[in-house]
Amino acid sequence: MKTVDGRNGVHEMPGEERGNSEVRGGRYGEEDGGAPGAATRLGHPRSDLLVLLVGTPLLGLLLGLALPPFARWASGSPVLPWRDGIEFLGRLDAPWQLGLFVAAGLVAGVLLVLAAHAEEMSLTLTDERVEVVRDGRPRAFARADVSAVFLDGKQLVLLGTDSGELVRGAHAPRAAALAGAFRAHGYPWRDSDPHAALFHRWIPGTPDLPAEVHALLAAREAALKRKAPRDAGDLGGTVRELGYVVRDEGTEQYWRPLAAV
């Protein structure tokens, strides 16, 4: 069942399997071209995943081959810190030990792939709506409810018709792939934030903001400093309900009032 938030056009969607190619299907598809009006899935580039899954075991193999001889050579130095540890590395040249290096590299590659999927969002575009999956939570926004799409540093941002942020998060696809896919489906892609000039750095106690917003931004600053992005995001959503948008540069916060589009 879908639930609809009439204020910002959010539809909660049941989970579904996502493609993991950078651009897949749809009118901007690189794999099959897709039929006009078909969905375009934006996720992690397969080449990047392949580099992690193949490159990390290969790196483990290279370390297993190169590290023991180097450690044996280095152990001949008369002045050597951590001599016991380096001499131990020099003895790691048995075939089964080399296999451990490769296995450790493979495990590291799998963990990196899983971390990349967990941290970055995937998207599915059609001419009618965009679906976003982040932290395992799928959401959908109607095309008519999206007033601007742009990149803010390494984050993809979708703005609603009240200029508030519908989505902000790290993206896996390259910038050119994102721009091409959104434009192909008729979304208002922008080269930068159209409301950037309205932002002000947050200064505690400034009379330009209500006391309630100051309290929320103070709590949000604490969340940023303790590296709790989910808490910071929830507090930012509450700030929006009070009529303001907040974005970050490190632990510094910048705010602006909502601006009707």
Side-chain angles (χ1 to χ4, degrees):
M1 179 179 294
K2 301 179 183 178
T3 61
V4 180
D5 181 343
R7 178 174 55 81
N8 58 17
V10 178
H11 303 254
E12 299 294 343
M13 302 295 295
E16 63 182 64
E17 184 178 354
R18 305 289 173 186
N20 63 357
S21 61
E22 180 175 14
V23 177
R24 183 178 181 184
R27 296 185 302 176
Y28 195 70
E30 291 182 348
E31 293 188 350
D32 56 18
T40 299
R41 292 180 175 85
L42 299 165
H44 294 268
R46 287 182 175 175
S47 59
D48 291 356
L49 300 181
L50 188 62
V51 166
L52 289 175
L53 291 175
V54 175
T56 47
L58 181 59
L59 179 61
L61 175 62
L62 293 176
L63 285 175
L65 291 173
L67 194 56
F70 177 78
R72 289 194 294 269
W73 171 81
S75 64
S77 172
V79 181
L80 184 68
W82 309 299
R83 180 178 295 276
D84 291 343
I86 292 176
E87 289 179 348
F88 172 76
L89 290 176
R91 295 191 293 270
L92 298 180
D93 54 2
W96 68 270
Q97 292 168 332
L98 182 61
L100 287 179
F101 277 101
V102 176
L106 179 60
V107 171
V110 171
L111 292 177
L112 287 171
V113 168
L114 293 176
H117 274 285
E119 293 177 0
E120 295 178 344
M121 57 188 179
S122 60
L123 304 99
T124 302
L125 304 178
T126 69
D127 293 348
E128 292 77 30
R129 68 181 185 180
V130 52
E131 295 181 25
V132 180
V133 178
R134 187 181 183 189
D135 296 328
R137 179 190 175 196
R139 293 181 294 166
F141 305 94
R143 161 64 187 85
D145 294 325
V146 179
S147 66
V149 186
F150 59 92
L151 292 177
D152 183 10
K154 296 182 179 180
Q155 295 188 317
L156 176 68
V157 181
L158 277 68
L159 299 184
T161 53
D162 64 352
S163 84
E165 292 182 357
L166 300 174
V167 173
R168 173 183 283 271
H171 59 90
R174 297 174 181 87
L178 284 168
F182 275 100
R183 284 172 174 155
H185 285 284
Y187 288 82
W189 181 268
R190 303 288 183 256
D191 293 331
S192 61
D193 185 348
H195 307 289
L198 299 177
F199 278 98
H200 308 274
R201 187 167 69 88
W202 176 61
I203 300 174
T206 178
D208 298 326
L209 290 171
E212 186 176 4
V213 175
H214 277 299
L216 289 167
L217 292 178
R220 194 171 180 277
E221 181 181 56
L224 292 172
K225 288 181 176 178
R226 69 173 185 268
K227 297 183 179 180
R230 182 167 295 182
D231 291 345
D234 291 342
L235 289 165
T238 305
V239 170
R240 177 184 171 175
E241 292 174 0
L242 297 176
Y244 298 89
V245 177
V246 60
R247 66 176 177 85
D248 311 314
E249 291 185 11
T251 58
E252 287 192 345
Q253 301 180 92
Y254 289 77
W255 64 271
R256 66 167 171 83
L258 290 175
V261 178

